[in-house]
Amino acid sequence: MSTERYNAREAEPRWQKIWDERGIYRTRNDDPRPKYYVLEMFPYPSGRIHIGHGRNYVMGDVVARFKRMKGFNVLHPMGWDAFGLPAENAAIERNTHPGKWTYENIATMREQLKLLGLSLDWSREIATCDPSYYGEQQRIFLEFLAGGFVYRRESEVNWDPVDNTVLANEQVIDGRGWRSGALVERRKLAQWFFRISDASEELLAGLDTLERWPDKVRLMQRNWIGRSEGLHVRFVIENAPEGLPAGLPQDLPSEIKVYTTRPDTLFGASFLALSPGHPLTEQLAAGNPALAAFVEECRRGGTSTAEIETQEKMGFDTGLTVAHPLGGAPVPVYVANFVLMEYGTGAIFGCPAHDQRDHDFARKYGLPITPVVLPAGADPAQFSVADGPYDGDGTLFNSGFLDGLSVPEAKEKVALKLENAILGNAPVGERAVNYRLRDWGISRQRYWGCPIPIIHCDSCGPVPVPADQLPVRLPEDVTFDQPGNPLDRHPTWKHVNCPHCGAPARRETDTMDTFVDSSWYFARFASEPGTAPLQKGAADHWLPVDQYIGGIEHAILHLLYSRFFTRTLAKIGRVSITEPFAGLFTQGMIVHETYKDPAGKWLFPEEVEKRADGTAVKVGSNEPVTVGAPEKMSKSKKNVVPPEIVADTYGVDCARWFMLSDTPPERDSEWTSAGIEGAWRFVQRIWRLVGDAMELTDGVREATPESFGTESVALRQASHRLAAQVEDDVERLRFNVAVARVHSFTNVFGDAMASARKGGVTPDIGYALREAAEFLVAVVAPMVPHLAEECWTVLGRDGLAATAGWPVVEPALLMDDTVTLPIQINGKRRGEITVPKDAPPAEVEKAVLALELVSQALDGRAPKRIIVVPQRIVNVVA
RNA sequence: GCGGGUGUGGCGGAACCGGUAGACGCGGCGGACUCAAAAUCCGUUUCUGGUGACAGAGUGUCGGUUCGAGUCCGACCACCCGCACCA
């Protein structure tokens, strides 16, 4: 029996070196085998990784290694989402250059990732801050601009006062900057935008084709895009506002257009409300200081969720009234703080009986509340919405020609009627589809990002930087000693001549949102090293990514932007595919308990010792330690485990095995010392089993024996089933189940070995044991690759486990001749019976009735019914 | 408020299409080996009653469909996630 332990510390670096030297993870585009592209979301180089970062890389690595064994040409690259604010913050804090800081972090993290034994093609490594990468991005930007997918406009933006930059709506979470956490303010700036909202419909429709995406993510995107169908309705202004001072613009519009999804409730309209940002509001406010003050008050209202929720409905009566388009009573026009300018037309009609907001508003300003939809079964004389609006289904009443119709019928009838009502040269009503999705503002007032390749000329306007002058490189000599954008205050960088007229002009000093960088990197990886960054042929060959893996936090932003970007690249002819990620998986986080000393200071796990009685103390001082609930690993709470420590004590294979065990990959998983120790024991167990099997079968001829006995067949069945099941599990990314099957198999394997030791190793048993060892090693190879190589050597096999094929399963060994059926009596399990697999139900029934336990239960009576489900179960109803 | 998800032993979790609930692991208990320990191996471990074979209960709660429900349907409870004045 082999007693030597597997020495991961020695073996792991050795095998990593061999893999590296032989270049087995280098991928070639001209490889004739079918392609498979596995990608994990590339990291931001923040400094160091902890073991919690490793989970998605390990999952991706298992898939990559498995697919390689199945004969695919696998692309599994890695890169760095290297632009972004933390580099500038570090520059300020440490008086260093963002680039230097970033590249140092990349060097550290690359070594840490290599430590994990990932089968990555490092030759394709990219960093988005590399001029060759962002230069291509500038080219793409200009092509998008030429194609009409980019524009510039003055817009109110979300301003992050801490990071001193603009944020997209999606980057504002609960009214705070997604990175800084600062309360966001509103400002007006000239910004560059991508026309993502024009793609709303196709982005929505495309979701239906993404069958290998989690439903949850598709739903989140669907809601984010927020399609609604409704009607644009024109309301004619009836009167000039009274009591307004002279100087009111004479060119007031003659009508107000509103957007509604509930045209059926038009007869319940008791007011119109304009957004404070509506052009008519601005026009009226110019001549009305009270209104101007009201608008100003609305603007100060704040943008945080908490504020919006608690904010009371506020309105200002403009004195205008509009005619009711269906002949109802005239309706007053208000300006209201809750009407958004960015959605619909910036104006609404209020129906207080059937909408909460309108209800609140009407009560506050004493406007009439007329119910027009009657719930089924309600009495029209009694029905009241005094307690709150009713927004359910029902029958129309108080609504003239709509009375008696259902809500959908009424919607349709109103739409038809208003479409056919002509006022001036246009219909009063027009069907319209609205989306919640807004255009993507990409301008950022920061240094460490991709420069927007535009030159502003006083006479020519914004002019693209000519192609031969790309990339527009970031200047190296910048300072961070004052707030604001270093590019803007750089002494020379922005001063250039206009490419059109040659007059002195200024560079655009804004850089792009870093989400642009991550919107096409997956296409960049397709090109071989040293070739053009975005090659159509290569991208079309590799894309879409077959399996993309990353955190759920990117369900909307990154994934929606990437989908938009890919579609737009297709429209300008850069690629042929429209969806970048065919399969998506969102993995859970690794969490860890937190520890605090009596002074309330966070402690690292290695500073804490757990006592047998469940309490914890600080190592050295014996001070009591408060153990907190498991939380996401974070530097600030110190509940992190560095990969180096794990590698040194247990080996990375143990860490890999542990990360794949027990918890389903989409759920959060808790890192515990007991767990890693369990993984360590199991790694040793595999090592021992393989060694023992080789020792035990030493001298047994390897040739296939002439016949197999019951025991060897049973073991062979287990081996072949293992390979078939683990294959299925890995295909479905059910790593925890795969791990359980391997555990189960080692129990069977161990038992077979013990009985062979007692009963003697006949040629068939010897063959089965060796096969079992080989199957075991091959099956775990994607999960614990270093151990697999070491075992491969023990097995005396040529080549590397990493380049070996997946075990070939003999279908005959997956079948059983007999099957054991549970017997239920009245639905309760009372026994079992073993019958031939293909026994006809009638015979099974006969055999079951002959059993004593059945006749006893029946007590002489005939059974009422017998249900035989072939190969499943027998139920006797007494 | 709207939308979605989850709920199974002391713990992580398994159970394909409605067919033996608790696979596998962790922890616990008992044993073997050892002078002893570690390591390893074997047995046991849902709960209740019983020495025992066995019986009863049991997948958040209540009800329903079915020969049979963790799985399907209805109502509810708890927790988690997303969105949120989107007309």
Side-chain angles (χ1 to χ4, degrees):
Chain A
M1 198 199 258
S2 55
T3 48
E4 212 173 305
R5 272 194 196 161
Y6 168 61
N7 184 351
R9 255 172 86 167
E10 184 275 322
E12 287 178 350
R14 178 157 46 79
W15 287 112
Q16 286 175 14
K17 195 161 163 254
I18 291 171
W19 294 333
D20 203 32
E21 283 166 0
R22 302 200 191 168
I24 57 171
Y25 304 130
R26 286 281 295 276
T27 304
R28 301 195 189 284
N29 287 3
D30 57 5
D31 192 305
R33 291 173 299 172
K35 70 99 182 179
Y36 195 90
Y37 188 176
V38 198
L39 185 66
E40 302 97 47
M41 290 180 186
F42 68 163
Y44 178 78
S46 58
R48 307 186 62 79
I49 62 167
H50 53 68
I51 207 78
H53 293 118
R55 197 177 183 204
N56 63 332
Y57 305 125
V58 169
M59 288 178 189
D61 195 49
V62 172
V63 174
R65 288 176 179 275
F66 168 73
K67 287 289 178 182
R68 253 183 230 113
M69 291 178 84
K70 290 296 289 180
F72 288 87
N73 182 34
V74 172
L75 177 59
H76 187 212
M78 181 56 69
W80 309 97
D81 190 11
F83 273 137
L85 268 179
E88 287 188 53
N89 295 337
I92 295 162
E93 282 163 27
R94 296 157 206 231
N95 196 25
T96 173
H97 188 272
K100 184 167 179 283
W101 182 84
T102 301
Y103 278 107
E104 281 170 6
N105 288 347
I106 287 175
T108 307
M109 288 173 65
R110 186 191 298 119
E111 287 317 301
Q112 289 185 300
L113 284 182
K114 285 189 172 176
L115 199 62
L116 293 175
L118 304 172
S119 61
L120 292 164
D121 181 355
W122 283 104
S123 74
R124 298 192 188 222
E125 178 185 359
I126 54 164
T128 56
C129 62
D130 188 302
S132 76
Y133 185 85
Y134 70 71
E136 186 69 14
Q137 188 162 305
Q138 291 169 344
R139 238 162 259 134
I140 294 170
F141 174 91
L142 293 177
E143 288 169 35
F144 278 14
L145 182 64
F149 301 103
V150 182
Y151 66 100
R152 189 169 132 101
R153 71 169 152 93
E154 182 92 350
S155 90
E156 201 164 77
V157 295
N158 302 305
W159 179 260
D160 185 321
V162 168
D163 283 346
N164 274 319
T165 191
V166 165
L167 300 173
N169 280 324
E170 298 91 314
Q171 292 162 354
V172 181
I173 296 153
D174 288 344
R176 291 172 181 274
W178 73 293
R179 190 166 264 159
S180 73
L183 279 172
V184 168
E185 300 166 2
R186 315 282 300 167
R187 284 199 193 177
K188 274 209 163 179
L189 282 177
Q191 303 281 305
W192 291 96
F193 286 85
F194 285 154
R195 292 192 194 273
I196 189 171
S197 67
D198 282 0
S200 297
E201 192 57 53
E202 49 180 303
L203 287 170
L204 192 64
L207 288 174
D208 292 334
T209 68
L210 300 174
E211 282 159 24
R212 287 173 48 233
W213 277 42
D215 289 342
K216 181 182 175 167
V217 174
R218 290 199 278 177
L219 184 72
M220 282 163 77
Q221 292 212 351
R222 196 165 282 131
N223 290 341
W224 190 263
I225 295 167
R227 184 182 199 274
S228 79
E229 285 180 16
L231 206 62
H232 279 148
V233 183
R234 295 159 59 200
F235 282 78
V236 175
I237 298 176
E238 280 193 330
N239 64 326
E242 289 168 32
L244 290 176
L248 177 78
Q250 291 305 299
D251 51 348
L252 273 187
S254 60
E255 63 186 43
I256 298 168
K257 195 192 256 187
V258 307
Y259 173 71
T260 178
T261 56
R262 292 296 302 274
D264 55 304
T265 63
L266 259 173
F267 282 103
S270 61
F271 63 94
L272 240 63
L274 303 173
S275 166
H278 195 280
L280 179 55
T281 308
E282 288 178 3
Q283 232 175 337
L284 294 169
N288 184 340
L291 178 55
F294 175 78
V295 169
E296 192 46 43
E297 196 185 338
C298 292
R299 192 147 282 160
R300 278 203 311 271
T303 53
S304 83
T305 308
E307 282 174 291
I308 285 169
E309 260 177 13
T310 53
Q311 215 169 56
E312 208 165 327
K313 301 277 176 291
M314 290 193 300
F316 186 96
D317 189 348
T318 62
L320 293 174
T321 56
V322 290
H324 193 284
L326 296 172
V331 174
V333 179
Y334 282 72
V335 173
N337 64 338
F338 65 94
V339 181
L340 306 174
M341 192 55 223
E342 305 84 56
Y343 187 79
T345 59
I348 60 155
F349 82 80
C351 176
H354 304 288
D355 181 283
Q356 185 66 55
R357 297 156 299 180
D358 300 344
H359 191 90
D360 297 346
F361 190 82
R363 298 208 123 194
K364 180 157 178 184
Y365 293 100
L367 295 161
I369 299 175
T370 313
V372 291
V373 178
L374 190 66
D379 175 0
Q382 305 265 306
F383 181 64
S384 156
V385 288
D387 295 337
Y390 173 73
D391 60 3
D393 274 338
T395 309
L396 274 285
F397 71 130
N398 296 335
S399 294
F401 70 103
L402 299 174
D403 282 354
L405 297 180
S406 71
V407 167
E409 285 165 353
K411 278 184 184 175
E412 182 59 28
K413 195 155 182 181
V414 170
L416 273 176
K417 177 142 187 159
L418 294 183
E419 275 175 328
N420 291 316
I422 302 296
L423 189 68
N425 285 323
V428 174
E430 256 184 305
R431 288 177 215 254
V433 173
N434 250 295
Y435 300 91
R436 215 186 68 110
L437 184 64
R438 319 270 163 80
D439 280 338
W440 173 16
I442 60 151
S443 298
R444 297 290 181 274
Q445 293 65 46
R446 307 304 312 186
Y447 166 75
W448 195 232
C450 173
I452 294 174
I454 292 288
I455 292 165
H456 294 284
C457 170
D458 286 337
S459 33
C460 308
V463 179
V465 173
D468 61 0
Q469 290 170 33
L470 294 177
V472 176
R473 286 171 182 266
L474 289 168
E476 289 288 319
D477 52 333
V478 284
T479 55
F480 294 91
D481 47 359
Q482 40 191 309
N485 185 353
L487 287 179
D488 199 34
R489 55 167 195 268
H490 188 279
T492 56
W493 185 78
K494 71 174 172 184
H495 300 293
V496 288
N497 290 333
C498 171
H500 263 183
C501 66
R506 301 166 315 281
R507 281 193 193 284
E508 170 76 58
T509 57
D510 285 354
T511 52
M512 295 185 206
D513 179 5
T514 55
F515 276 110
V516 180
D517 309 342
S518 54
S519 290
W520 66 283
Y521 77 107
F522 42 87
R524 169 67 184 90
F525 283 133
S527 308
E528 300 233 27
T531 63
L534 180 55
Q535 287 182 304
K536 189 161 196 271
D540 287 349
H541 172 67
W542 285 109
L543 292 173
V545 174
D546 295 279
Q547 186 63 61
Y548 196 36
I549 303 177
I552 186 73
E553 66 273 21
H554 292 112
I556 297 171
L557 309 181
H558 162 58
L559 290 169
L560 193 62
Y561 292 155
S562 296
R563 294 183 59 222
F564 161 71
F565 224 81
T566 305
R567 280 167 186 277
T568 313
L569 284 172
K571 285 174 191 164
I572 62 169
R574 284 297 209 103
V575 298
S576 304
I577 46 108
T578 49
E579 288 290 345
F581 312 119
L584 173 70
F585 185 80
T586 54
Q587 93 285 352
M589 292 178 301
I590 291 196
V591 296
H592 195 285
E593 286 177 333
T594 53
Y595 307 107
K596 265 187 185 175
D597 72 8
K601 270 179 58 186
W602 299 105
L603 298 173
F604 286 110
E606 58 267 29
E607 296 177 289
V608 176
E609 190 189 334
K610 293 264 190 113
R611 291 272 166 92
D613 61 3
T615 61
V617 295
K618 190 169 171 182
V619 174
S621 74
N622 277 351
E623 287 177 282
V625 168
T626 313
V627 179
E631 289 183 56
K632 177 183 181 172
M633 284 191 179
S634 78
K635 270 186 238 168
S636 60
K637 290 185 178 167
K638 294 194 174 177
N639 59 340
V640 291
V641 177
E644 292 86 352
I645 290 190
V646 182
D648 282 352
T649 25
Y650 301 100
V652 298
D653 279 344
C654 288
R656 292 172 62 116
W657 188 259
F658 175 44
M659 283 192 267
L660 298 166
S661 301
D662 291 350
T663 307
E666 67 277 9
R667 278 195 224 168
D668 288 352
S669 163
E670 189 183 353
W671 186 274
T672 61
S673 53
I676 187 76
E677 279 160 24
W680 189 81
R681 278 199 296 274
F682 191 69
V683 162
Q684 295 298 336
R685 181 166 157 84
I686 293 178
W687 172 247
R688 241 180 359 254
L689 281 171
V690 171
D692 288 358
M694 288 309 286
E695 227 174 77
L696 200 58
T697 57
D698 197 24
V700 178
R701 291 172 53 91
E702 290 218 25
T704 312
E706 281 162 26
S707 65
F708 289 96
T710 329
E711 280 187 38
S712 55
V713 169
L715 179 57
R716 294 200 68 208
Q717 282 185 324
S719 304
H720 285 253
R721 261 186 210 132
L722 171 74
Q725 290 174 328
V726 171
E727 172 168 350
D728 185 52
D729 294 333
V730 172
E731 290 277 8
R732 294 158 64 184
L733 307 178
R734 292 154 38 100
F735 305 112
N736 58 322
V737 182
V739 163
R741 293 204 206 279
V742 174
H743 272 289
S744 246
F745 175 75
T746 56
N747 292 340
V748 172
F749 189 17
D751 290 347
M753 204 115 66
S755 85
R757 234 179 237 122
K758 258 189 254 163
V761 183
T762 54
D764 65 323
I765 289 183
Y767 180 93
L769 287 174
R770 288 217 169 184
E771 184 185 58
E774 281 175 16
F775 271 51
L776 174 61
V777 171
V779 157
V780 298
M783 303 186 255
V784 283
H786 312 84
L787 172 71
E789 296 294 357
E790 203 70 3
C791 290
W792 206 243
T793 309
V794 172
L795 290 171
R797 300 291 302 262
D798 293 333
L800 294 168
T803 53
W806 189 256
V808 178
V809 173
E810 292 177 24
L813 286 168
L814 301 180
M815 309 287 192
D816 251 325
D817 295 344
T818 61
V819 61
T820 300
L821 302 178
I823 299 172
Q824 292 183 335
I825 293 168
N826 292 331
K828 284 202 185 301
R829 184 182 179 279
R830 284 296 127 110
E832 55 186 38
I833 187 171
T834 303
V835 296
K837 196 177 176 196
D838 45 9
E843 268 174 44
V844 176
E845 192 176 315
K846 225 165 94 185
V848 167
L849 285 175
L851 290 175
E852 202 187 321
L853 75 104
V854 175
S855 50
Q856 255 173 23
L858 288 173
D859 200 19
R861 295 181 309 266
K864 278 200 194 118
R865 201 174 155 189
I866 298 180
I867 293 116
V868 178
V869 185
Q871 298 182 48
R872 280 272 175 217
I873 204 165
V874 181
N875 191 6
V876 180
V877 185

